Amino acid sequence: MTPAPVIIAVDGRSGAGKTTLAVELAARLRQHHKVSLFHLEDIYPGWNGLMPGIERYVGTVLKPLSEGMAAEWTSWDWDKHYDGGLNVTLPAEIVIVEGVGAAADAARPMLDAVVWVEASGDERRRRALTRDGSTYEPYWDSWAAQEDEWLSSDQVISAADIRVQNLADGSAPDDVLRTLMYLPSVASILSPELSARRGLQLRSERLDATPDAELLFASLYGKSTNAVWLDSSNASAVAGRSQAAARSRFSILADDGGTFGQSALHRSGTTQVTAGSASVSTSGPFFRWLDSVWGRRAVRAPRGYDGQFTLGWLGYLGYELKRETGGNDVPSHTPDAALLFAGRAVVVDHREQTVWLLALEAPDAEEWLRAARTAVEASVSPAAGLAVSFNPGPAGLEFVSRDSATDYKRKIADSQHQISEGNSYEICLTTTLEAPAGGLDPWASYLALRRRNPAPFASYLRFGELVVASTSPERFLRIMSDGGMRAEPIKGTRGRSTDASEDAALRHDLETSLKDRAENIMIVDLLRNDLSHFAIPGSVTVSRLCAIESYATVHQMVSTIDAHLRPGAPRAEALAAAFPAGSMTGAPKISTMDILDQLESGPRGIYSGAIGYFSLNAATDLAVVIRTLVVNPDGNGGRTLSLGVGGAITADSVADDEYEEIRTKAYGVLSTLGADFPG
């Protein structure tokens, strides 16, 4: 008897393409493993034998194979319509079983992975009859009825680990193999495939060009279902080598297309990864999943390239991931995290006025580099600077607030009561403004926002119908490839004035405000503690304390905390130790998050989370999700537009002033949309 094999079932309705997929998958796995392949169509006892066939398969084939023994089974003679000869299927390192019922309820306890293959009914019939000809046609309806009866009582589809929308274009086997690597039940045996995946080669091209990023993104990714633009939209206003210019030096444009493209959505403990036509779901904490796909140096940066992003994952982490870092479990209306893996991307270096094209070596890399080069050249044409008109929709937008002015001020009083009781020092109280999105164009809205409110960490994210348009000025956390860490919290805000002397007075008022300095310093202390968990002892420093930075619509107070990651420390855990940003919770963090859950009347969702990248050289750079619009499907065929706003409450807070502060923070976004603060 040999050791028990890893058994993978490829199931689905007739004509979905299971057989071809299983054969091609077996061929790929045979490069590193011994593989046995069993087809259920060899054992069904006739055209009315689906359920008896499943019973035969489970008892005479699957059970012995799962125990590492040879399976002896009787085939069906389709010409004589009777039992045929005796056959033997030998166990192997990996066994693939395919056919309708391969993952039936009685089989699943003996399976390590279930792949469910899907295709439209018309397409399935066409494929099946093309394959089997006229012999199948008289039995198509009766066989389909048996499938319907079986599926009505068997939860095989919902139990599948991997679901494949089989386009019959040859992509499914590679897509399934990529998703199989995410399953803990089979990952260990696929270590050769995983090693091959990590042996990545990075191709690059440097172009001397200053493209119009709007046109470039629209040209390359305007039709992509999932795409990300990390947009240093204020780069032209902070030229030089200042710290502000360094934050705004690079912009990144990417989607999840090409050989290596993938996307990941996490909701309440389940991560779904989609690679082309295949999707796999795994259970477990998000940060544990992140640790499995990021944090190790897989590629080297190109010579002469100063950026930290060398391809990898881009997207957002929502605030409700706090359930994994000491907070309560609060369900969100949006995914708790949405990321795409970019195996190719465009990086704009605003300081050097160059463009870097980055692509992992793959069969389609050369074609993409050529197309990207053409797009860059086209985006620097004289027409590139044409303004894009913005129309918020024929009826405008009317926001409503989760909290009325009276409610919000009452919650301020409740926050101060918690502070007086010693349960917190500072509580970052937030609320949410919402409006029906109607005919709003998210892309045009973002273009208007980036012009009116340029910011170092602006971003535009599209994950299907979910769109995020952010003009965030605040860095949450940067971890460089060499382990350098930096957090730059913002606490303290004043609106701008068009009158120069009044604007200077507003800036001075913020600079000298004891209350704002106290808020900022408390968050600095919190972040020093957060970074210290995984930092080299003695490396945590505050290089800038309560500095004032001015943006298009606000002055803000910013501090900088630096540290250096301990060698070998898990980077995903170092990120988790600091998440969510202390500037969005208050201090101490865990007890204050609990208070906020009691005070706030619902989830924050993407707001208060983080947006950025997780690079293949183990670097990350994440912004705090503030000044951010979210367009999300409402589940009834419509869309909801939301904007989160908030401020830090201390014992010295004045309710009217705090309420005016959230109006100030919302103004830059709402005014761009032609909307007013509700109430």
Side-chain angles (χ1 to χ4, degrees):
M1 186 175 74
T2 61
V6 166
I7 304 179
I8 301 169
V10 180
D11 206 337
R13 300 193 62 157
S14 292
K18 302 179 298 302
T19 303
T20 301
L21 171 57
V23 169
E24 293 293 332
L25 180 61
R28 284 155 176 76
L29 290 171
R30 285 188 179 115
Q31 297 178 37
H32 301 288
H33 310 277
K34 291 183 178 180
V35 180
S36 286
L37 179 58
F38 175 78
H39 304 283
L40 266 72
E41 69 177 6
D42 294 333
I43 203 172
Y44 300 128
W47 291 109
N48 294 313
L50 174 57
M51 296 309 294
I54 292 174
E55 186 176 346
R56 283 187 176 196
Y57 146 72
V58 172
T60 65
V61 178
L62 191 56
K63 189 175 188 302
L65 288 176
S66 68
E67 296 171 353
M69 297 186 296
E72 297 184 357
W73 50 277
T74 302
S75 64
W76 181 256
D77 190 322
W78 290 92
D79 293 325
K80 297 179 179 178
H81 301 284
Y82 199 74
D83 283 343
L86 190 66
N87 292 266
V88 176
T89 298
L90 297 175
E93 189 180 11
I94 297 175
V95 173
I96 298 176
V97 291
E98 74 82 18
V100 182
D105 182 64
R108 288 199 291 276
M110 292 175 275
L111 302 174
D112 296 285
V114 173
V115 179
W116 180 264
V117 188
E118 299 174 333
S120 68
D122 291 342
E123 182 65 13
R124 287 190 294 104
R125 181 187 177 98
R126 185 192 65 77
R127 292 177 191 170
L129 298 184
T130 299
R131 181 192 67 196
D132 294 330
S134 59
T135 58
Y136 194 176
E137 189 165 13
Y139 304 101
W140 173 264
D141 291 334
S142 65
W143 186 266
Q146 292 176 79
E147 292 178 347
D148 289 340
E149 183 179 358
W150 166 55
L151 291 173
S152 68
S153 60
D154 194 317
Q155 302 302 311
V156 60
I157 299 176
S158 60
D161 300 297
I162 296 170
R163 296 181 67 167
V164 184
Q165 190 64 44
N166 193 359
L167 304 177
D169 60 359
S171 63
D174 288 327
D175 294 342
V176 170
L177 184 55
R178 282 195 290 166
T179 51
L180 277 171
M181 297 180 198
Y182 287 104
L183 289 177
S185 57
V186 299
S188 59
I189 202 169
L190 296 181
S191 56
E193 286 80 7
L194 283 164
S195 296
R197 188 178 69 173
R198 289 170 183 149
L200 302 173
Q201 298 295 319
L202 180 62
R203 296 184 59 177
S204 65
E205 288 187 20
R206 180 183 184 274
L207 307 174
D208 292 320
T210 308
D212 183 298
E214 295 177 8
L215 289 180
L216 183 57
F217 185 86
S219 172
L220 286 173
Y221 307 121
K223 296 181 180 179
S224 300
T225 300
N226 303 323
V228 169
W229 178 12
L230 303 182
D231 174 24
S232 294
S233 59
N234 71 330
S236 61
V238 289
R241 297 180 180 269
S242 66
Q243 196 169 95
R247 288 202 301 275
S248 303
R249 180 175 173 181
F250 297 100
S251 292
I252 302 168
L253 301 78
D255 72 356
D256 59 351
T259 296
F260 291 94
Q262 300 171 61
S263 62
L265 297 177
H266 182 92
R267 292 180 185 269
S268 300
T270 298
T271 302
Q272 178 180 294
V273 179
T274 298
S277 61
S279 295
V280 58
S281 295
T282 57
S283 298
F286 170 80
F287 288 105
R288 184 187 301 166
W289 176 86
L290 182 63
D291 183 61
S292 72
V293 300
W294 171 73
R296 298 155 191 83
R297 294 186 182 92
V299 299
R300 292 180 176 272
R303 185 183 299 275
Y305 174 69
D306 294 333
Q308 285 287 301
F309 178 72
T310 57
L311 302 177
W313 295 93
L314 308 99
Y316 76 79
L317 313 185
Y319 176 74
E320 268 64 53
L321 285 175
K322 67 183 174 64
R323 71 170 64 89
E324 298 181 18
T325 62
N328 298 318
D329 185 0
V330 178
S332 174
H333 304 302
T334 51
D336 297 323
L339 301 171
L340 63 82
F341 184 87
R344 54 204 196 185
V346 177
V347 180
V348 180
D349 185 337
H350 299 286
R351 192 183 79 184
E352 299 299 320
Q353 297 185 324
T354 59
V355 174
W356 286 85
L357 308 181
L358 306 178
L360 294 177
E361 185 61 73
D364 55 0
E366 184 62 42
E367 179 184 358
W368 180 83
L369 287 167
R370 185 166 51 250
R373 193 183 311 121
T374 300
V376 170
E377 292 167 354
S379 67
V380 295
S381 65
L386 292 177
V388 177
S389 62
F390 169 67
N391 181 2
L397 294 164
E398 293 187 8
F399 283 84
V400 295
S401 177
R402 179 182 288 173
D403 300 291
S404 67
T406 300
D407 291 337
Y408 194 77
K409 291 175 185 179
R410 175 181 53 77
K411 291 180 180 182
I412 292 172
D414 291 341
S415 299
Q416 291 177 313
H417 174 72
Q418 292 284 352
I419 293 170
S420 69
E421 291 291 306
N423 298 324
S424 180
Y425 305 113
E426 178 180 1
I427 297 174
C428 298
L429 182 66
T430 77
T431 191
T432 300
L433 314 181
E434 290 188 340
L440 181 89
D441 181 343
W443 172 242
S445 301
Y446 177 66
L447 297 185
L449 282 172
R450 75 185 295 267
R451 292 186 182 126
R452 184 177 177 88
N453 302 297
F457 298 105
S459 57
Y460 179 79
L461 285 64
R462 183 170 62 240
F463 289 91
E465 294 183 273
L466 173 63
V467 179
V468 181
S470 177
T471 55
S472 174
E474 181 175 357
R475 170 179 275 146
F476 164 43
L477 179 66
R478 181 185 71 182
I479 304 177
M480 298 180 69
S481 181
D482 66 4
M485 295 193 288
R486 171 167 288 183
E488 296 182 282
I490 291 176
K491 267 288 162 271
T493 303
R494 296 291 186 276
R496 300 292 304 269
S497 172
T498 55
D499 179 84
S501 59
E502 184 178 348
D503 191 59
L506 288 166
R507 180 186 173 102
H508 179 72
D509 178 63
L510 176 60
E511 195 169 23
T512 57
S513 168
L514 295 179
K515 171 188 173 293
D516 289 300
R517 288 182 66 87
E519 289 180 11
N520 198 292
I521 290 170
M522 277 190 275
I523 299 305
V524 168
D525 283 341
L526 172 61
L527 280 163
R528 288 173 64 231
N529 178 69
D530 286 347
L531 298 188
S532 70
H533 290 300
F534 290 91
I536 295 172
S539 70
V540 181
T541 60
V542 179
S543 58
R544 189 172 57 146
L545 185 64
C546 298
I548 306 301
E549 294 184 352
S550 298
Y551 295 90
T553 59
V554 292
H555 300 293
Q556 300 201 289
M557 184 178 287
V558 187
S559 294
T560 301
I561 305 99
D562 291 305
H564 202 92
L565 193 69
R566 290 199 313 267
R571 296 192 173 210
E573 289 188 32
L575 167 63
F579 189 89
S583 60
M584 301 304 293
T585 62
K589 184 184 288 185
I590 292 177
S591 62
T592 303
M593 287 193 296
D594 185 57
I595 293 168
L596 287 166
D597 285 340
Q598 299 172 44
L599 292 175
E600 297 177 355
S601 306
R604 294 186 182 182
I606 300 170
Y607 172 60
S608 300
I611 291 174
Y613 66 74
F614 301 95
S615 174
L616 286 173
N617 62 354
T620 183
D621 202 355
L622 299 166
V624 179
V625 184
I626 53 177
R627 319 288 195 274
T628 299
L629 286 171
V630 176
V631 180
N632 190 45
D634 63 9
N636 297 310
R639 301 177 303 161
T640 298
L641 178 66
S642 64
L643 171 69
V645 288
I649 310 303
T650 66
D652 296 332
S653 291
V654 176
D656 288 345
D657 293 344
E658 295 294 343
Y659 190 69
E660 188 58 35
E661 181 174 326
I662 68 170
R663 291 172 60 90
T664 297
K665 289 176 177 177
Y667 173 77
V669 176
L670 295 180
S671 60
T672 305
L673 301 178
D676 297 319
F677 196 95

